[in-house]
Each structure stands twice: as structure tokens, then as C-alpha cells.
Amino acid sequence: MEIFGIPHQAFLGQLLLGLVNGAFYAMLSLGLAVIFGLLGVVNFAHGALYMLGAFVAWFLLEKLGINYWFALVLAPLSVGVLGVIVERLFLKRLYKLDPLYGLLLTFGLALIIEGVFRELFGASGQSYPVPELLQGATNLGFMILPNYRAWVVFASLVVCMGTWYLIERTRLGAYLRAGTENAALVQAFGINVPVMVMLTYGAGAALAGLAGVLAAPIIQVSPLMGSNLIIVVFAVVVIGGMGSIMGSILTGLGLGVIEGLTRVFYPEASSIVVFVIMVIVLMFRPAGLFGKEA
């Protein structure tokens, strides 16, 4: 059986691979969108935080014997605490300045973190095993679905939709949005806006760390894993609309699938298709597909 002249196993396999990649794009772009949408910071350190999440999971397993399921909680918490420290020490001083300063600061932090880990671990990757509960694959009849990749897509969707609901549909989310637009008014109601902002950045960092843990059993845990992905993720955020939570989720998943299908029909273009789409979108929608015009 063929789909568009391609054997259906190859077609569906690349579709699945694209969906898995899209799940990572969605989670990482979600963290970026949360931080930019609520704090106005273009967080170029996001890729380094993603890498840190994977390395914390690897360290917990190799050095302390703490398994994957505990790492899913401990690694994002660790990266989130680091995000809180970065926000308190550096970013809080830049909120009233041009966003370019925040971008340069976080870019510098990303280079420092990556350089330190390259010095400690080299450029080669460390392997992280798939947890025993998720090993193997399920025969769907038309294709073999690896259980861990199915878990990644499911977990990413749950986290992404939960984050969207929290920010867009709850009182806490309303406080967050109001605090970034009119901090003085929100503080008049007794809400500590600086602490809320600090925790928001920490939560965005934790999302990157969680994505790193999910990625660890699929790809090599390497100091370069964040820098290899962050440019594509920034393109996803721009296409979806800077600061748009749902835009980042839908665009990340959609572009992952498009990238996967491009590998089937025109493999040479798979590495640039996201950027081609970004250029086309910006020509007609400078604010992105789901962004609001200034």
C-alpha cells in the first residue's frame, strides 16, 4: 500500500517522527512564549536550560541511581530554581530597558553554560536508557509505534494544554497577565508582583528542563543539544506569534509534522522548511499566525 507514491510504512513513520519533534517544539516554544508574553524577555538561554534538564536526569540516574520517573519531577524543579536565580540576579535589572538587552544577556548565559558543559563532558553525547515501563512498541496494524515516543507526544500535549489553561482560564493566569500590563494596580490589591514575575520565569525554565528529560532517552544527552534546537524553536515562536501560548503549541506540533513529511517528499529541504514558512508568514502576517498586531 502506498500513500502519494510512498510506501505507507515510511510515510507513517516520518509522520510519527515529525509529531514527536513537534511535541518538543511545542514544549520549548511554550516556555519561550510564556516568558516573552508575560515578561517581555526574549530568553535565548532556553536551549541551555533544555540541555540542563537532560543532564540533570542523566546525573540523577548515573551518580545517584534515581530513575526516570523521579527525574521528571526533580530535573524541572532544579532547572526552575536556576531560572529563579537568573531572574533575581540579572533579568530583574533589565525589565525597563530595551528587550535587546535581555536577549544579549540570555545569549551570553547560554554560551557560558554550554561552554562549561563542553569542558566537563566534551562534545560527545551520553546515553540515557528508556524507562523499563515504556520499552518496546505497539503494533497498530499499519505501523509499529514505539511506546516511549507515544508517551512523549501524550505528555507534551498534557503539559502544553495544562499550561494554556492555567494562564488563559484561571484567576492566577489573570493576575499574571494583569501584573505584566499594570504592576502598580495589581500590587494595590496586595499581590507581590516581583515574586510572581520571578516564579513565572522559573516556571518557563522548568518547562525547558522537562522537555530535556523527555528528550534524554531519544537523543544523546549532549552539551550541543540545546543550541542545535533553539534556532528552530525561535522560528516556531515567531511563526505562531511572539507571546501567543496557543499559537506556540499549535505551530510547534504543525511544523514538526510538516518537517517530517518534507523528509519523505523532498529530504533536501527538511532542514530549511521551517525557515521558509517563517519568511512567508512574516511577509503577510508580521505578528505571526496567532499574534496580535501592535
Side-chain angles (χ1 to χ4, degrees), residues 34-195:
V34 167
I35 291 172
F36 181 82
L38 298 178
L39 308 183
V41 174
V42 181
N43 185 32
F44 227 101
H46 215 64
L49 297 172
Y50 162 73
M51 177 266 292
L52 280 174
F55 263 104
V56 170
W58 176 83
F59 181 85
L60 289 173
L61 181 64
E62 293 295 320
K63 306 301 181 183
L64 301 177
I66 297 175
N67 68 22
Y68 172 85
W69 301 106
F70 286 103
L72 276 177
V73 177
L74 296 176
L77 281 176
S78 302
V79 177
V81 169
L82 177 62
V84 166
I85 294 171
V86 168
E87 196 279 336
R88 287 291 88 186
L89 289 180
F90 305 111
L91 289 175
K92 75 171 186 177
R93 308 171 191 277
L94 304 179
Y95 291 141
K96 295 182 180 180
L97 302 178
D98 190 291
L100 178 62
Y101 290 97
L103 186 152
L104 293 174
L105 172 67
T106 54
F107 181 63
L109 288 173
L111 293 178
I112 292 170
I113 294 171
E114 182 181 309
V116 169
F117 274 76
R118 288 188 67 174
E119 182 67 25
L120 293 174
F121 299 98
S124 60
Q126 313 290 332
S127 62
Y128 189 93
V130 174
E132 185 177 352
L133 184 63
L134 297 174
Q135 290 177 359
T138 301
N139 189 344
L140 301 179
F142 58 89
M143 67 175 294
I144 303 297
L145 176 64
N147 294 335
Y148 187 78
R149 283 167 167 74
W151 157 251
V152 166
V153 174
F154 172 77
S156 299
L157 288 175
V158 170
V159 171
C160 287
M161 297 311 298
T163 303
W164 171 82
Y165 184 84
L166 177 68
I167 293 175
E168 299 291 341
R169 292 291 185 269
T170 67
R171 180 175 296 179
L172 175 59
Y175 287 153
L176 286 171
R177 298 194 307 275
T180 57
E181 294 177 8
N182 193 331
L185 178 62
V186 174
Q187 281 188 292
F189 286 94
I191 297 170
N192 193 326
V193 173
V195 170

Side-chain angles (χ1 to χ4, degrees), residues 219-234:
I219 62 177
Q220 292 283 306
V221 179
S222 160
L224 302 178
M225 61 186 289
S227 58
N228 292 341
L229 190 61
I230 193 62
I231 300 300
V232 176
V233 173
F234 265 106

